Amino acid sequence: MRVPVLRTWKDERLEDAVEYPFFARDKRLRVWNVYKMTYPGGQIVEEKWTENAGFWVEQIGENERIYHCNHGMASPPDFESLVFKASVQPF
């Protein structure tokens, strides 16, 4: 089964660790910083690629990274808003 986009959210209702088997012909795993913002009037929007949104990546090993994320409206940036680790293991 091919999954073109897999979204994982930080949510207290969900587990802290997730595991997804996948195969990538190009041997790449792409990671984006996406977050939900609530605007005046109650409108909730998924934001990405805006203002200060981004993360810095800490390489732990050849197949493991820690991502330090910042949402787009943080001033000053806070790259400890969400920290997660991604590990890729060969089949």
Side-chain angles (χ1 to χ4, degrees):
M1 173 188 239
R2 182 174 187 272
V3 179
V5 176
L6 174 67
R7 292 186 178 196
T8 301
W9 294 97
K10 173 65 176 162
D11 188 319
E12 53 276 346
R13 298 172 295 175
L14 303 174
E15 297 290 328
D16 285 339
V18 294
E19 183 176 314
Y20 299 101
F22 75 97
F23 174 77
R25 286 192 178 114
D26 64 359
K27 299 183 179 184
R28 293 176 187 247
L29 174 66
R30 293 170 181 89
V31 178
W32 281 266
N33 183 2
V34 179
Y35 52 94
K36 291 183 180 178
M37 290 294 297
T38 303
Y39 288 96
Q43 180 184 18
I44 299 173
V45 177
E46 284 185 16
E47 297 279 1
K48 54 189 170 286
W49 302 103
T50 58
E51 308 220 5
N52 290 334
F55 46 75
W56 69 272
V57 182
E58 181 180 354
Q59 184 170 347
I60 301 302
E62 183 179 342
N63 299 317
E64 190 170 58
R65 309 286 188 274
I66 296 178
Y67 295 82
H68 299 261
C69 302
N70 177 65
H71 66 80
M73 303 307 281
S75 181
D78 175 12
F79 289 96
E80 300 305 308
S81 295
L82 173 65
V83 177
F84 68 93
K85 179 170 55 173
S87 302
V88 178
Q89 304 301 321
F91 283 102

